[in-house]
RNA sequence: GCCGAGGUGGCGGAAUCGGUAGACGCAGCGGAUUCAAAAUCCGCCGCCGCAAGGUGUAAGGGUUCGAGUCCCUUCCUCGGCACCA
């Protein structure tokens, strides 16, 4: 243990370069399977290589790195990989703008962003780096897709897409602005084209049920997934009819299918409502212009959720009639704007007596409202049924059937069973589970994605590419120009022989949804170099991911698809896990001040925070802001997410260059708990930097003043310390205990603050004796280790330079010592009748009686008890004593 | 509308089982150092009050020796969503 001299001045750049060089030379983060140690797979969501890192990345990866380094020091075998979600639309857009091939643009971005990540000192095993645009990665997308085809999980059907008639291309939803193509301004059409689907609905039950096993996921994410999957248990049945089209064919084989969760109310049906796109609506509109206009309006109606919530229920009669399946009575069919074609069969039975929407609709159009459910009140009498108190009636499952013939008196479950049985007997329906979840369409009519491995042959149809011909490699020199998929012009790619008959055939040019790429990358990180198999036994060692970290915006799609993919891979015998992510942390977004000015000429003009000056009142509250440019006021809009358009983004690169990676990391961890939003603050960055300078300075003091006083033989274990040193040592160990507790909670802001408190205590403590030197060296060693996952560079340097050991990452994580925490005398809070009135000091071993006596005898007690006797004395051991007068 | 999270100083945020509310940091104020400034260091910093003390965790009520924390009612903010039959 040889200590070096630590210079006075803290130079982050040099310190960080040196630390990173050390990690590089020792291959510090490269890991392999080691069954002798517990493993910890720590994964942050891999970035899209958009060009450069943004603050969200820095926050995300810092959280992951803190957990990685903490677990490494705790003795875990930790894997933290990194890769690139490299396919996607922005690369094509960049290509259109700059005439650069998406491949080159993407790989340049990857190279730059990788440098940025490395400059932040993340403990990443770069030997496992994966980019989804590499053929040796996406080969396995194709391979698994073929397995899914074999199993029937992947299948082909037509899909509705947004079609730009000018560019002759399919548009993504975000490329459609106000119904027009984003580049051409042409009115977008709906087109039906064939595409491939994955039967995620086959796994709906398991995807829903297994949510209960994900105890370490945020509750809200599980709820969002459950709602998305949307399971409803009910009855699907048909209203028979004789409605025929012009050619005389029965519409829907003479059946109007509906789904209901309230089959017990079937005798209360007073009409049916169908969606605007329903075949019966289409038929009725043929000689009814008013209805045709209404249907047209519904189709173009807003699908915005805010409109939906306030939308008036509207409808029109079709003039068509179906028959009630149990009573045979005629039932009128209406078109209702509140019925969705995309859910169930696009039609509902309407029971206005017991359903809110049906009720509003019936009221508006004066349709009959009938009671078929009743309920007893507390006195056992039937509650009155009245349309004035309709709120009390819809939705309730607590009542029993009335006015329902043979079902009268049955409760909800019994009535549903009886009705379902009768419908089944009449061959009119049966119980059914209805899902909101839809199968996953993965075909994209885009260039920059994984080719779907299919060959179209005139004779053999759509033929899967044989495994031996995988991967189907995407030509990388295409430059999309916005009009159609450039693969359609690549003759060398298109022309291929049919694998079945050998005749000339044509390659599929659709590519896969990029969500496919990200649905299994975490498994590939365990064995990225295997060119013989998608995954191997190494996945059994590392998977599942112990800690996954990413944005809440992926709460539904990415996480659901990954869960689905895991189950499919499991069923194919490729992996042993059913759920890929054991624990999930969804980090909050990074916000910054918003400044704008509204003018009639230019609309809203946004100001970057560095372009304005804030005005404060005497108390420091922000009262306004002015532009530096012209001194005129600008509107202060509070905090909002960092965005280019609002000009409030902060480039991490400039922050790293100014203050260093450690400062950036410390600020990110300190400013707020990981799940909450983080408000950007230049002053906060300064504060973080100030703290690290103080840490450095204390290291300098230890190297120059403290260490030279160290005795040859350590005495700390046995010696009785002077009071001030015992207090210092105890405080640091208490803070350590707190920090360890907070790390378990993943509450890193208070871990950071614990290190600040340690330094405050050390700076104030004595340092001019050999025993003090021993205490300081022990305590500073604790501080450095607790701080090291957050600011690894400066702590690496100080740990080494002060001679603790070569590599702080290899050091053991500190635990508080009982000997340091023990104290002879403790201070208890003194309350008189529940009000705090000071404190009493008692020996640590004092029993209840002694504490009571000491409390009553204390000066404060005498003063505030005013001579009255104590009615009761409450003693909370180690905390307080309360004298009730 | 429904579901979820939350409401604590000028600000970000602490407070593990109900036990000294406001830790730590930022901003602000005062002082030291300096020719001066920056940097640094020391001190103050919820509100009312000269003080003793009182009061205070969105509002109101309750349970308790004791409530930011538990229960009830109301209000507000943010996030998510599906008119899902």
């Amino acid at each position: 243990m040889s200590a070096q001299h630590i210079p006075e001045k803290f130079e982050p750049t040099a310190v960080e370069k040196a630390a990173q060089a050390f990690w590089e030379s020792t291959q510090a983060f490269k890991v392999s399977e080691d069954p002798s140690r517990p493993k910890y797979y720590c994964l942050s969501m891999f970035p899209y290589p958009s060009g450069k890192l943004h603050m969200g990345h820095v926050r995300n990866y810092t959280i992951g790195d803190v957990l990685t380094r903490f677990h490494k020091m705790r003795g875990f075998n930790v894997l933290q990989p990194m890769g690139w979600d490299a396919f996607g639309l922005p690369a094509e857009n960049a290509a259109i703008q700059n005439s650069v091939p998406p491949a080159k643009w993407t790989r340049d971005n990857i190279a730059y962003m990788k440098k940025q990540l490395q400059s932040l000192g993340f403990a990443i095993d770069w030997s496992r780096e994966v980019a989804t645009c590499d053929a040796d990665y996406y080969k396995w997308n194709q391979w698994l897709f073929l397995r899914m085809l074999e199993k029937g999980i992947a299948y082909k059907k037509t899909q509705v897409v947004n079609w730009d008639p000018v560019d002759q291309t399919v548009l993504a939803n975000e490329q459609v602005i106000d119904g027009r193509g984003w580049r051409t301004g042409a009115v977008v059409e709906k087109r039906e084209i064939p595409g491939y689907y994955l039967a995620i609905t086959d796994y709906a039950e398991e995807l829903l049920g297994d949510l209960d096993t994900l105890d370490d996921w945020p509750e809200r994410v599980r709820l969002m997934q459950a709602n998305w999957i949307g399971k409803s248990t009910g009855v699907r049945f048909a209203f028979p009819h004789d409605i025929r089209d012009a050619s005389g064919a029965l519409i829907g084989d003479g059946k109007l299918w509906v789904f209901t969760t309230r089959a017990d109310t079937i005798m209360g049906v007073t009409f049916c409502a169908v969606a605007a796109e329903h075949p019966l609506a289409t038929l009725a509109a043929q000689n009814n212009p008013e209805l045709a206009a209404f249907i047209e309006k519904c189709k173009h109606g807003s699908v915005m959720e805010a409109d939906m919530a306030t939308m008036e229920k509207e409808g029109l009669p079709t003039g068509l009639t179906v028959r009630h399946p149990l009573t045979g009575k005629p039932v009128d069919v209406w078109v209702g704007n509140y019925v969705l074609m995309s859910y169930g069969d696009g039609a509902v039975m309407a029971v206005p007596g017991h359903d809110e929407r049906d009720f509003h609709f019936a009221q508006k159009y004066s349709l009959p409202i009938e009671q078929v459910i009743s309920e007893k009140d507390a006195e056992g009498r039937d509650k009155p049924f009245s349309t004035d108190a309709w709120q009390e009636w819809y939705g309730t499952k607590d009542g029993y059937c009335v006015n329902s013939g043979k079902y009268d008196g049955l409760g909800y479950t019994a009535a549903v069973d009886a009705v379902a049985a009768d419908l089944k007997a009449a061959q009119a329906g049966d119980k059914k589970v209805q899902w909101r979840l839809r199968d996953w369409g993965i075909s994209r009519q885009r260039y920059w994605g994984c080719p779907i491995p299919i060959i179209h042959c005139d004779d053999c149809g759509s033929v899967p590419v044989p495994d031996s011909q995988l991967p189907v490699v995407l030509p990388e020199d295409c430059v999309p120009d916005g009009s159609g998929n450039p693969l359609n012009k690549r003759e060398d790619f298109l022309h291929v022989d049919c694998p079945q008959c050998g005749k000339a055939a044509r390659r599929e040019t659709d590519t896969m949804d990029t969500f496919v790429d990200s649905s299994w990358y975490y498994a590939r990180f365990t064995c990225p170099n295997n060119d013989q198999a998608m995954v191997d036994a190494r996945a059994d060692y590392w998977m599942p991911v112990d800690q996954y970290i990413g944005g809440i915006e992926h709460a539904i799609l990415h996480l659901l698809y990954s869960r689905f993919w895991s189950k499919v891979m499991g069923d194919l015998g490729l992996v042993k896990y059913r759920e890929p992510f054991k624990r999930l942390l969804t980090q909050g977004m990074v916000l910054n001040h918003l400044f704008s000015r509204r003018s009639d000429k230019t609309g809203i003009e946004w100001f970057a925070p560095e372009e304005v000056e804030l005005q404060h009142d005497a108390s420091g509250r922000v009262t306004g802001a002015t532009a530096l440019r012209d001194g005129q006021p600008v509107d202060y809009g509070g905090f909002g997410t960092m965005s280019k358009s609002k000009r409030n983004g902060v480039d991490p690169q400039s922050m790293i260059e100014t203050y260093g990676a450690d400062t950036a990391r410390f600020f990110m961890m300190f400013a707020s708990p990981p799940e909450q939003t983080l408000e950007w603050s230049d002053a906060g960055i300064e504060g973080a930097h100030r703290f690290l300078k103080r840490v450095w300075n204390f290291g300098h003091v230890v190297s120059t003043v403290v260490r030279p006083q160290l005795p040859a033989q350590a005495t700390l274990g046995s010696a009785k310390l002077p009071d001030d040193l015992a207090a210092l040592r105890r405080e640091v160990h208490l803070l350590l205990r707190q920090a360890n507790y907070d790390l378990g909670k993943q509450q890193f802001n208070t871990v950071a603050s614990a290190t600040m408190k340690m330094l405050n205590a050390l700076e104030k403590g004595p340092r001019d004796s050999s025993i003090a030197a021993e205490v300081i060296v022990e305590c500073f060693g604790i501080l450095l280790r607790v701080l090291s996952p957050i600011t690894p560079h400066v702590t690496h340097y100080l740990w080494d330079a002060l001679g603790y050991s070569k590599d702080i990452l290899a050091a053991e994580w500190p635990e508080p010592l009982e000997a340091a925490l023990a104290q002879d005398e403790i201070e208890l809070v003194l309350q008189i009748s529940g009000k705090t009135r000071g404190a009493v000091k008692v020996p640590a071993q004092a029993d209840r009686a002694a504490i009571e006596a000491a409390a009553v005898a204390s000066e404060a007690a005498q003063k505030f008890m005013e001579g009255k006797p104590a009615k009761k004395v409450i003693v909370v051991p180690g905390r307080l004593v309360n004298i009730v007068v």
Side-chain angles (χ1 to χ4, degrees):
Chain A
M1 287 238 293
S2 65
Q4 308 157 221
H5 176 75
I6 292 174
E8 251 181 282
K9 191 162 162 33
F10 174 40
E11 297 192 66
T13 315
V15 168
E16 290 176 8
K17 281 223 170 87
Q20 286 162 18
F22 173 83
W23 296 326
E24 175 67 32
S25 70
T26 56
Q27 294 282 291
F29 313 127
K30 194 165 174 179
V31 288
S32 54
E33 302 69 44
D34 175 0
S36 70
R37 280 192 295 159
K39 66 96 183 176
Y40 186 80
Y41 184 177
C42 185
L43 182 68
S44 293
M45 291 181 184
F46 66 166
Y48 177 77
S50 55
K52 52 187 182 182
L53 292 185
H54 55 67
M55 281 298 171
H57 292 131
V58 177
R59 189 177 193 196
N60 193 158
Y61 303 143
T62 302
I63 292 168
D65 203 47
V66 168
L67 285 164
T68 293
R69 290 173 179 272
F70 173 58
H71 281 87
K72 263 185 194 285
M73 291 174 78
R74 279 252 150 122
F76 287 85
N77 188 26
V78 185
L79 168 60
Q80 181 176 236
M82 185 54 73
W84 309 95
D85 190 11
F87 275 136
L89 205 47
E92 292 191 41
N93 293 343
I96 294 166
Q97 261 178 15
N98 311 321
S99 302
V100 187
K104 180 175 167 24
W105 183 85
T106 302
R107 287 184 217 283
D108 287 352
N109 288 347
I110 287 175
Y112 181 76
M113 290 171 76
K114 182 173 176 180
K115 267 205 184 115
Q116 287 190 302
L117 287 175
Q118 286 171 327
S119 77
L120 281 158
F122 297 136
I124 290 165
D125 181 353
W126 283 106
S127 73
R128 295 167 183 265
E129 182 179 2
V130 157
T132 57
C133 62
D134 289 341
D136 48 7
Y137 179 81
Y138 66 70
K139 170 184 177 178
W140 301 105
N141 285 354
Q142 297 171 343
W143 180 84
L144 196 77
F145 173 79
L146 295 175
R147 301 291 84 73
M148 288 185 177
L149 270 180
E150 289 163 4
K151 289 211 123 199
I153 298 168
Y155 63 94
K156 195 177 181 181
K157 73 170 184 189
T158 58
Q159 55 180 353
V160 178
V161 295
N162 304 306
W163 181 257
D164 185 321
V166 174
D167 265 353
Q168 292 286 300
T169 194
V170 174
L171 299 177
N173 283 332
E174 61 265 27
Q175 294 173 319
V176 182
I177 297 151
D178 296 328
R180 291 169 181 275
W182 65 311
R183 289 181 69 242
T184 61
V187 176
V188 171
E189 299 168 4
K190 295 277 178 200
R191 271 211 182 181
E192 285 212 356
I193 60 172
Y196 285 91
Y197 281 78
L198 303 183
I200 191 170
T201 51
D202 289 358
Y203 288 83
E205 196 77 69
E206 193 187 346
L207 287 167
L208 183 68
D210 283 357
L211 285 174
D212 292 338
T213 68
L214 300 174
D215 297 329
D216 294 321
W217 279 38
E219 179 61 28
R220 61 173 174 158
V221 174
R222 291 195 288 171
L223 229 124
M224 281 160 79
Q225 293 226 343
N227 286 339
W228 187 262
I229 295 166
K231 180 181 185 174
S232 310
T233 319
V235 176
R236 181 174 180 259
F237 69 93
F239 290 83
H241 62 76
D242 311 308
I243 303 163
R244 292 169 189 275
D245 66 15
S247 68
L250 268 176
I251 303 275
D253 290 334
K255 290 174 174 175
L256 172 61
W257 285 97
V258 299
F259 175 76
T260 181
T261 55
R262 295 302 307 269
D264 58 319
T265 64
I266 195 169
M267 302 309 267
V269 170
T270 58
F271 62 100
C272 280
V274 300
E277 296 91 341
H278 195 276
L280 286 183
T282 313
L283 177 78
Q286 277 171 9
N287 35 31
N288 183 341
E290 194 195 355
L291 185 60
F294 176 72
I295 288 170
E296 205 49 36
K297 188 181 144 200
C298 286
K299 283 181 181 170
H300 289 100
S302 169
V303 273
M304 299 282 288
E305 50 184 280
D307 301 332
M308 289 290 231
T310 53
M311 194 192 281
E312 179 81 1
K313 288 180 184 32
E314 287 182 36
L316 279 178
T318 60
L320 301 170
T321 306
V322 295
R323 291 190 298 278
H324 193 286
L326 296 178
T327 65
K329 283 185 191 159
V331 176
D332 289 341
V333 177
W334 285 63
V335 177
N337 65 347
Y338 68 100
V339 184
L340 306 175
M341 193 62 212
S342 54
Y343 186 77
D345 295 284
V348 296
M349 69 172 202
V351 184
H354 305 280
D355 179 272
E356 182 183 4
R357 289 158 315 180
D358 296 345
F359 174 82
H360 286 301
F361 195 85
Q363 280 242 310
K364 179 163 179 174
Y365 296 106
S366 306
L367 296 164
I369 299 169
E370 287 174 13
Q371 178 184 19
V372 287
I373 301 288
S374 189
E375 223 181 317
K376 301 277 191 205
D377 63 17
E379 277 87 48
R381 289 177 305 221
D382 276 310
K383 286 189 189 170
F385 182 81
S386 133
T387 55
D388 297 331
W390 46 268
Q391 294 96 331
E392 292 195 24
W393 289 100
Y394 59 73
T396 180
K397 290 180 179 175
D398 298 333
Y400 57 92
C401 292
V402 294
N403 304 326
S404 297
K406 63 187 275 203
Y407 308 114
D408 279 358
L410 294 178
Y412 170 73
T413 313
V416 169
D417 287 348
V419 169
D422 288 347
L423 286 169
K424 191 172 181 182
Q427 296 195 322
D430 203 350
K431 282 194 175 177
K432 188 181 181 218
V433 175
Q434 180 72 45
W435 302 91
R436 196 187 89 87
L437 184 68
R438 240 53 82 53
D439 278 347
W440 174 17
I442 58 156
S443 291
R444 297 288 180 274
Q445 296 70 42
R446 319 225 82 84
Y447 157 67
W448 189 234
C450 167
I452 294 178
I454 293 287
I455 292 166
H456 300 288
C457 169
D458 289 340
D459 294 344
C460 310
S462 300
V463 181
V465 172
D467 286 0
S468 60
Q469 291 177 24
L470 293 183
V472 176
V473 177
L474 184 73
E476 290 206 350
D477 50 359
C478 289
V479 184
D481 58 8
S483 63
N485 183 345
L487 288 177
N488 287 322
K489 297 167 200 155
R490 284 293 297 243
E491 301 297 325
D492 56 336
F493 178 79
L494 281 174
H495 295 304
V496 63
D497 292 338
C498 172
Q500 260 173 39
C501 67
K503 255 182 64 176
R506 193 186 145 88
R507 215 180 263 292
E508 170 69 56
T509 55
D510 282 358
T511 54
M512 293 184 196
D513 181 3
T514 56
F515 274 117
V516 170
D517 307 325
S518 55
S519 289
W520 69 284
Y521 74 106
Y522 47 86
R524 186 66 182 174
F525 278 139
T526 67
C527 49
N529 54 357
N530 191 334
D531 58 4
Q532 298 302 307
M534 189 173 187
V535 288
D536 57 37
R538 287 174 284 178
D540 298 336
Y541 174 81
W542 289 111
M543 289 296 294
V545 172
D546 294 276
Q547 178 68 62
Y548 198 33
I549 305 138
I552 186 72
E553 66 273 19
H554 295 111
I556 297 175
L557 292 183
H558 164 60
L559 291 171
L560 190 68
Y561 292 150
S562 295
R563 297 181 57 225
F564 162 64
W565 213 266
S566 297
K567 292 173 194 308
V568 172
M569 286 178 76
D571 287 347
L572 288 165
L574 297 168
V575 296
K576 297 197 168 115
Y577 57 89
R578 298 302 288 185
E579 286 291 338
F581 312 123
K582 198 160 178 283
R583 187 168 188 174
L584 176 69
L585 190 157
T586 49
Q587 104 260 7
M589 293 193 288
V590 185
L591 313 180
N592 199 3
H593 297 284
L594 287 169
F595 301 100
S596 63
R597 189 184 282 165
R598 194 180 277 278
S599 88
D600 294 338
K601 268 182 266 160
T602 53
I604 293 185
E605 184 188 3
W606 295 94
F607 289 77
E610 62 269 19
E611 295 170 346
V612 302
E613 192 176 19
L614 281 175
Q615 267 101 50
H616 304 267
D617 63 12
S619 64
R621 192 201 302 258
V622 177
T623 52
T626 51
L628 292 173
R629 191 177 69 200
D630 53 16
Q632 296 300 305
V634 295
D635 298 330
Y636 175 55
F639 278 94
T641 53
M642 287 189 176
S643 83
K644 233 182 225 169
S645 61
K646 292 181 180 169
R647 307 197 53 229
N648 66 339
V650 177
D651 183 5
Q653 196 57 37
S654 67
M655 174 177 61
I656 297 163
E657 280 159 16
T658 312
Y659 298 102
D662 281 341
T663 294
R665 295 171 57 126
F666 189 87
F667 170 72
M668 286 280 170
M669 289 300 101
F670 177 67
S672 68
E675 309 229 61
Q676 280 182 38
T677 56
L678 185 152
E679 295 178 7
W680 185 259
S681 154
D682 290 327
I685 285 278
E686 295 274 358
H689 192 59
R690 205 145 46 216
F691 169 65
L692 294 184
K693 278 196 286 193
R694 279 171 55 209
V695 172
W696 180 271
N697 187 55
F698 197 79
H700 171 73
V701 168
V702 171
S703 84
T704 54
V705 180
V706 176
R707 279 199 68 99
Q709 300 184 72
L710 274 183
Q713 206 99 71
T715 58
L716 204 50
S718 54
K720 170 95 179 83
L721 295 174
D723 286 353
D724 52 354
L725 283 171
L728 169 64
R729 190 178 185 215
R730 185 174 127 80
E731 182 169 4
V732 170
H733 281 263
L734 276 175
L735 287 166
L736 169 62
R737 190 167 71 181
Q738 183 66 49
N740 284 345
Y741 176 81
D742 290 343
L743 277 163
K745 279 201 300 182
Q746 304 189 337
Q747 185 174 290
F748 307 119
N749 55 328
T750 48
V751 176
S753 102
T755 64
M756 290 176 136
K757 291 176 188 174
M758 286 180 194
L759 185 65
N760 288 348
L762 281 167
E763 282 178 338
K764 287 196 182 91
R767 58 180 71 152
D768 53 358
S769 65
S770 69
I771 187 76
E774 281 190 83
V775 171
I776 289 170
V777 167
E778 176 189 284
C779 291
F780 196 53
I782 290 171
L783 190 165
L784 288 176
R785 279 175 288 170
V786 174
L787 187 57
S788 67
I790 302 173
T791 65
H793 307 89
V794 65
T795 49
H796 170 88
Y797 178 91
L798 292 175
W799 183 263
D800 176 28
L802 290 172
Y804 286 100
S805 74
K806 192 71 200 155
D807 183 6
I808 193 168
L809 198 57
E812 238 177 77
W813 190 262
E815 292 296 337
L817 297 173
E818 279 312 314
L821 295 174
Q823 49 187 349
D824 302 335
E825 208 180 37
I826 56 170
E827 203 176 63
L828 299 177
V829 170
L830 175 65
Q831 293 186 339
I832 313 294
S833 298
K835 285 202 181 290
T836 302
R837 299 295 184 186
V840 268
K841 275 193 173 151
V842 296
Q845 290 81 22
D847 60 10
R848 182 172 288 263
I851 292 171
E852 281 185 28
V856 173
S858 71
E859 210 179 299
Q862 292 308 313
K863 181 176 166 195
F864 287 97
M865 285 168 74
E866 295 161 343
K868 286 177 238 164
K871 202 158 77 183
K872 191 170 162 189
V873 180
I874 289 142
V875 176
V876 183
R879 289 215 100 116
L880 64 66
V881 46
N882 185 8
I883 303 171
V884 184
V885 184

